[in-house]
Amino acid sequence: MKQIINNILQSDFFKNVIILLSGSIINQIILFITFLVLTRLFTKSELGIYFLYTSSVFVLSVFSTLRYYLTIVLSKTVKELINSFILSIISSLGISLILFIILFVFENQIKKIFNLERLDFWLILIPLSVAINGFLDSFNSFFNKEKKYKYCSIGKLSTSIFVGGFQISLCKTIFKNGGLIVGHILGNLLGCLQLFIIFICKYRKLLRLISFKQIVLIAKKNKKIPLYNTLQGFCNILSNQLPFLTLAPFYGIEYVSLYGIANKIIAVPIGMITNAISEVFYREASEKYNNNEDVSLYIKKTYKKLFFISIVPFILIFLLSPTVFRLIFGDSYYLASKITQILLPWIFFSFLSTPISFIPTIYNQQHLLFLFDLILLGLRFLSIYIGYFFYNSIMVSITIFSCIGVLYNIFIMIFYLKVSIKKLN
C-alpha cells in the first residue's frame, strides 16, 4: 500500500493534476464560505430558483460549442490547435444566438412546458450564461493542450471569487433575490475575460494562422462529435441535473434548495477534482493513442490511483456530514446532510469513472455512450417518479436515483476498459 501511494505521488500524472487542483481546492473553500453566507441572506425558495437557473444553464451549455472544444486537445499541429479553438468559439456564439431567439419568441410556452415559471424574466439571460460557459470550455481546453495548467487554475479560482463577491454584494440591491443569478453571470463573465487577456498576451501570434478552410475541414473531420458527443453529453448532464428540474413540481421549490446545497457542498467540489483529472487524462490518453501505445494499462492505473486517493475521504464525509451540516448551516438544512449521505455512493463511483469518460471520443465510439446515457436518463426519471408516485418521499426518489447511478458507473467503467482493449487487439 505504501509503495502504491508513493508511486502515485511521484507520477507526472499526479503532479499535473495537483497543479490544476491547487486552484480547485481554494475554489472549494471560497465556494463553501460563500454558501455559508448565502444561506443566511437568501431564503430556501430564493436559493431554489437560483439552482433551477444554473441547472438549466448546465443542461443547455452542452450545446454551446457543439462539443467542438474536444477537438482542441485532439489537434496534432499548431494550426489545427488555433483553428479548433476558433471553431469552438464560433459554435458557442452561434448556438447562444439561436437559443436567445428561441427563448425570446417562445418564452411563455417554454416556461409552461418545462415548469420554469419561477424563473420569471431571468429565463432570457440563459443564452448569455451558455455562451460564457462555452468560452470557458474553449479556453480551458486550449490551455490544457498547451500544458498551461496554472492558467486553468487561475481562471477557476478568480471566477469563484468574482461570483461569490457579486452574489453577496448584490443581495441588498435592486436585484434582490435575482442577485444570485446576476452575480453568477457577472462573475463568470469576468473570469472568462481574464482568460481572454491571458490568451491575447501569450498566444496572439497564433491568430495569423486562422483559416476558414481549415476550420471547415476540422468540422467535417470531427462531424461525429457534434452528432454523438453533444447528444450524449446532453443526456448525461440532463440526467445528473434531473433532480433540480423535477423536484420542484413534485415536492416544491424548497426541496430544490436542499438538494442544491448538498450538491454544491459535495458533488460540485468532487466535480472540480474529476474535471482536473479528466483534463490531464484526456491529453495523455490521446497522446498514447496517437503513439499506438496500450491505453488500457493507463486506464487500469488511473482507476487504482483514483480509488486509493479517494476511499478514505469519502468514508469520512459520509460519517461526518450530518454533524457538520447541522453545526454550520443549522437544523433547517439537516435534511441536506441526509441527502448528501444518500448521494455519496453514486458520487464515489462517478469520481472513478468520469475522468476516463473521454475514451469513447478517442476511440470514436461516441454512439454507444450516447445509447447508454439515453437509457440512464430514462431510468433516472423513473427513479424520481416512482419515489413520488408510490411513496411520496423525496428520500426514496433520491435513494433510487443514487443506486441507479452506482450501477451505471460500474458498468461504464468496464465498458471504457473493453473499448481500449478491443481497439488494441
Side-chain angles (χ1 to χ4, degrees):
M1 174 71 76
K2 185 177 180 180
Q3 183 61 40
I4 293 175
I5 295 175
N6 286 334
N7 290 337
I8 293 173
L9 296 177
Q10 294 173 5
S11 65
D12 290 336
F13 177 86
F14 182 80
K15 293 176 183 176
N16 291 333
V17 170
I18 287 297
I19 294 173
L20 284 170
L21 280 183
S22 60
S24 295
I25 293 172
I26 303 174
N27 225 3
Q28 174 54 18
I29 296 173
I30 295 171
L31 179 68
F32 183 81
I33 295 173
T34 299
F35 265 87
L36 186 60
V37 176
L38 293 179
T39 53
R40 286 157 173 78
L41 295 176
F42 296 92
T43 65
K44 290 180 183 177
S45 178
E46 291 168 342
L47 287 170
I49 293 172
Y50 168 65
F51 287 132
L52 187 60
Y53 176 86
T54 54
S55 178
S56 302
V57 170
F58 288 147
V59 171
L60 293 173
S61 290
V62 176
F63 298 100
S64 64
T65 66
L66 295 177
R67 308 293 262 191
Y68 272 126
Y69 72 88
L70 296 173
T71 65
I72 298 172
V73 178
L74 292 173
S75 58
K76 297 179 180 180
T77 65
V78 175
K79 189 173 183 179
E80 280 188 16
L81 173 63
I82 187 61
N83 284 286
S84 295
F85 173 75
I86 297 300
L87 172 61
S88 182
I89 295 293
I90 292 174
S91 299
S92 184
L93 287 170
I95 293 299
S96 299
L97 179 60
I98 293 172
L99 181 59
F100 174 78
I101 295 172
I102 292 173
L103 290 178
F104 184 78
V105 176
F106 303 104
E107 180 180 358
N108 293 329
Q109 293 90 329
I110 290 172
K111 284 180 179 178
K112 290 180 181 179
I113 294 173
F114 297 101
N115 291 304
L116 298 176
E117 288 92 346
R118 299 296 295 270
L119 287 182
D120 200 17
F121 55 86
W122 301 112
L123 181 72
I124 203 66
L125 293 179
I126 286 179
L128 177 58
S129 290
V130 168
I132 294 171
N133 283 354
F135 298 156
L136 289 171
D137 284 338
S138 301
F139 281 119
N140 284 323
S141 293
F142 181 89
F143 292 134
N144 177 33
K145 177 63 177 178
E146 290 293 285
K147 301 182 182 180
K148 301 297 181 181
Y149 302 115
K150 63 179 181 180
Y151 296 152
C152 297
S153 295
I154 291 172
K156 292 172 183 176
L157 176 58
S158 59
T159 298
S160 289
I161 295 173
F162 293 142
V163 170
F166 277 120
Q167 287 180 329
I168 293 172
S169 61
L170 291 174
C171 70
K172 299 297 182 181
T173 66
I174 57 173
F175 296 113
K176 296 181 181 179
N177 61 324
L180 287 167
I181 296 174
V182 176
H184 175 84
I185 295 172
L186 291 177
N188 279 282
L189 185 60
L190 285 180
C192 185
L193 180 61
Q194 184 182 45
L195 291 178
F196 173 75
I197 293 172
I198 293 173
F199 174 82
I200 292 298
C201 291
K202 301 291 184 179
Y203 298 98
R204 62 178 177 273
K205 291 182 179 179
L206 295 183
L207 296 177
R208 67 184 64 174
L209 297 177
I210 295 175
S211 166
F212 178 74
K213 183 179 179 180
Q214 184 73 20
I215 292 173
V216 173
L217 287 174
I218 293 172
K220 289 182 177 180
K221 176 184 176 183
N222 298 282
K223 60 184 179 181
K224 278 192 174 183
I225 287 180
L227 181 61
Y228 292 113
N229 282 75
T230 301
L231 293 175
Q232 177 270 321
F234 174 74
C235 287
N236 184 266
I237 292 179
L238 179 59
S239 66
N240 286 334
Q241 299 295 316
L242 207 55
F244 290 105
L245 303 174
T246 55
L247 292 182
F250 286 168
Y251 299 105
I253 195 69
E254 289 194 356
Y255 284 102
V256 176
S257 70
L258 291 173
Y259 183 88
I261 291 294
N263 185 71
K264 279 286 184 181
I265 299 302
I266 301 299
V268 169
I270 297 299
M272 290 179 181
I273 296 173
T274 55
N275 286 340
I277 298 171
S278 296
E279 289 174 16
V280 176
F281 177 87
Y282 185 33
R283 183 187 59 77
E284 294 189 2
S286 297
E287 290 181 355
K288 290 181 182 296
Y289 175 78
N290 291 334
N291 295 329
N292 294 317
E293 297 180 33
D294 188 355
V295 180
S296 65
L297 293 177
Y298 183 51
I299 293 175
K300 292 177 183 177
K301 289 179 181 178
T302 304
Y303 281 152
K304 290 179 182 178
K305 291 174 183 177
L306 294 176
F307 178 84
F308 282 110
I309 66 176
S310 64
I311 185 64
V312 174
F314 268 92
I315 292 174
L316 290 176
I317 293 172
F318 182 85
L319 295 175
L320 298 176
S321 59
T323 303
V324 173
F325 267 78
R326 176 172 282 171
L327 180 65
I328 295 176
F329 295 105
D331 290 337
S332 61
Y333 284 93
Y334 178 71
L335 184 59
S337 69
K338 307 307 292 183
I339 293 174
T340 298
Q341 287 183 311
I342 294 173
L343 294 177
L344 272 174
W346 159 51
I347 296 173
F348 173 73
F349 282 98
S350 179
F351 177 81
L352 299 182
S353 69
T354 301
I356 321 297
S357 61
F358 288 114
I359 285 297
T361 301
I362 296 173
Y363 285 93
N364 207 24
Q365 296 292 308
Q366 303 97 317
H367 58 290
L368 291 177
L369 194 58
F370 167 60
L371 176 63
F372 299 150
D373 278 324
L374 191 61
I375 295 172
L376 175 64
L377 175 61
L379 290 175
R380 279 180 162 171
F381 178 80
L382 282 176
S383 70
I384 296 175
Y385 182 77
I386 289 171
Y388 170 74
F389 187 79
F390 291 101
Y391 300 95
N392 193 27
S393 169
I394 185 175
M395 304 308 282
V396 173
S397 289
I398 295 175
T399 298
I400 302 175
F401 180 88
S402 182
C403 289
I404 289 174
V406 169
L407 294 175
Y408 175 79
N409 278 285
I410 292 174
F411 165 78
I412 212 68
M413 288 170 65
I414 298 171
F415 168 71
Y416 293 151
L417 198 56
K418 292 289 186 181
V419 167
S420 63
I421 293 174
K422 180 180 178 180
K423 291 296 178 179
L424 180 67
N425 294 334

